[in-house]
Amino acid sequence: MPEKKLRIDSEKRELPIHIHPGFPIGIVTSRFSPDSYDFVSWHWHEEIQYNVVLRGSFCFRVAGNEYNVEEGDGLFINTENIHMAEATTPDSEYLFVYFHPSLLSDRKDSYLYKTYISSLLADESSGSLPLRKINDGDRKVLDGVLQLQSIYDRGEQGYELDILSRLILLWKHTLSCAEEKGMASGSSDALANERLKKIFSYISLHYGDSVTLEDLSGVVGLSRSECSRFFKFYTGQNLFRYLIRYRVNKSVELLISTDKSIAEIAYEVGFNSQSYYTKCFTALKKKTPNSVRGEFRNREAAARYMEMMDVHAGVVL
């Protein structure tokens, strides 16, 4: 199935929609199903993100760290860490809350920012933190995220102030978790994180062209063999398998939203033949391009689908 569509810039930076302009927080339940999407591709954002699995299970990857997260558990992802998520059981869903650090304090020279915020944002040993409901400290964080959703859903007068007060308490619990876990958490390699961003950005800009290993290794200043090993180690994926998957998923958007021929779409997303495109597509999606197009032949259904994939703020997706 298609990947979840995000608002992404050329550097693979997500541009999340917030509850209100000037109030940089989003509270979203993301539902994965055979009729929508089954994974979120690699991206990053300036916002801090909390994830709580409400149903099913997920595999999250955060630059070199892999987490299999079951129902009731969660994951904290620190600012600017590139990550992805994939459902590992059918009809899974998770709640995620993301907010910009400026919501806690918009002055980097302030006492609060220097004392309680910057230390965790800059802590490479806390690029990501698994949250397990069986641990008392973790459960305080998980409960805090769920409370934010409850406040938002009720929408009572002045709920934004309630969200802000709960968010500060959530951050306090997060600091305690990070201190307790220390190096046992998901460490973040700043150089590796930047290299991954560059590779993903290059692919998103040039996937329709003939992308070579030499091109990608040059972007990050590594030899071709080192570039391949680097990508495999930090993502768990073969570099060119990722490129093929990226091209196939881009083609799904064209199959659904245009009347272009299969051959035209194949060449537009970077395949050098229709037959090879169809082979790769079928291997990944377990369906042919024509069968996927047939499922969305009803233009009204396709329009609803594309609209749903574009929404990304404080709502169920």
Side-chain angles (χ1 to χ4, degrees):
M1 292 306 299
E3 65 180 276
K4 182 176 178 181
K5 191 175 179 65
L6 305 177
R7 297 170 67 238
I8 300 287
D9 68 11
S10 61
E11 297 180 342
K12 298 294 283 186
R13 181 208 316 256
E14 184 186 3
L15 307 172
I17 300 172
H18 300 132
I19 289 177
H20 301 300
F23 190 59
I25 184 172
I27 300 173
V28 182
T29 300
S30 194
R31 293 175 178 165
F32 294 61
S33 76
D35 297 323
S36 57
Y37 45 79
D38 56 13
F39 76 102
V40 182
S41 191
W42 290 93
H43 65 286
W44 62 279
H45 40 70
E46 295 177 352
E47 285 78 1
I48 294 157
Q49 181 171 323
Y50 294 84
N51 309 279
V52 179
V53 176
L54 303 177
R55 183 175 61 186
S57 59
F58 289 87
C59 175
F60 290 88
R61 283 188 173 273
V62 188
N65 298 287
E66 180 178 312
Y67 304 97
N68 292 300
V69 184
E70 303 294 329
E71 186 172 321
D73 292 334
L75 180 68
F76 165 84
I77 302 175
N78 214 334
T79 178
E80 298 191 15
N81 279 270
I82 196 159
H83 57 279
M84 61 85 70
E86 184 169 13
T88 51
T89 55
D91 297 315
S92 295
E93 65 179 84
Y94 67 86
L95 166 69
F96 63 104
V97 172
Y98 53 88
F99 67 91
H100 197 277
S102 63
L103 194 56
L104 296 172
S105 176
D106 60 359
R107 290 184 51 187
K108 293 186 177 181
D109 62 346
S110 70
Y111 172 82
L112 284 178
Y113 189 91
K114 290 179 179 179
T115 307
Y116 296 109
I117 302 172
S118 63
S119 57
L120 181 54
L121 298 187
D123 183 3
E124 292 185 1
S125 70
S126 300
S128 50
L129 301 171
L131 303 168
R132 309 297 184 193
K133 59 182 179 292
I134 61 172
N135 299 328
D136 291 342
D138 292 8
R139 193 164 57 249
K140 289 180 181 179
V141 176
L142 294 167
D143 289 345
V145 176
L146 295 173
Q147 287 167 6
L148 289 173
Q149 181 193 35
S150 179
I151 293 169
Y152 178 77
D153 288 346
R154 291 198 304 270
E156 297 173 352
Q157 180 69 27
Y159 75 90
E160 296 91 345
L161 295 175
D162 292 328
I163 284 177
L164 184 57
S165 64
R166 293 295 180 132
L167 193 64
I168 292 172
L169 183 58
L170 174 63
W171 188 250
K172 179 181 178 181
H173 293 323
T174 304
L175 290 172
S176 297
C177 278
E179 183 177 356
E180 179 183 337
K181 294 175 185 293
M183 291 305 294
S185 62
S187 61
S188 173
D189 183 327
L191 178 58
N193 200 47
E194 289 306 310
R195 282 175 169 164
L196 284 175
K197 289 177 185 177
K198 289 179 180 179
I199 290 174
F200 289 128
S201 175
Y202 187 90
I203 289 174
S204 70
L205 290 172
H206 301 282
Y207 67 89
D209 304 326
S210 177
V211 179
T212 67
L213 184 54
E214 186 171 2
D215 294 330
L216 295 170
S217 61
V219 166
V220 293
L222 296 172
S223 69
R224 287 179 294 180
S225 58
E226 273 300 310
C227 184
S228 291
R229 284 194 291 269
F230 163 80
F231 191 87
K232 176 71 173 178
F233 178 80
Y234 280 96
T235 69
Q237 296 176 272
N238 174 278
L239 182 51
F240 277 94
R241 285 180 184 170
Y242 170 81
L243 175 59
I244 288 172
R245 184 174 184 176
Y246 188 91
R247 286 168 167 165
V248 165
N249 284 307
K250 281 295 181 181
S251 78
V252 172
E253 297 177 23
L254 297 174
L255 288 169
I256 291 172
S257 61
T258 76
D259 290 316
K260 293 180 179 180
S261 70
I262 303 298
E264 287 177 304
I265 291 173
Y267 289 114
E268 185 169 332
V269 299
F271 289 93
N272 56 18
S273 75
Q274 179 181 340
S275 60
Y276 184 55
Y277 161 67
T278 300
K279 177 182 178 181
C280 292
F281 189 103
T282 305
L284 284 169
K285 302 298 182 183
K286 311 306 179 188
K287 299 178 182 180
T288 66
N290 272 322
S291 64
V292 169
R293 169 166 274 176
E295 291 176 9
F296 291 92
R297 184 61 66 184
N298 182 311
R299 289 302 178 188
E300 183 179 347
R304 287 198 304 269
Y305 171 84
M306 297 303 287
E307 181 181 0
M308 176 192 68
M309 298 288 275
D310 277 327
V311 176
H312 194 224
V315 295
V316 174
L317 292 176

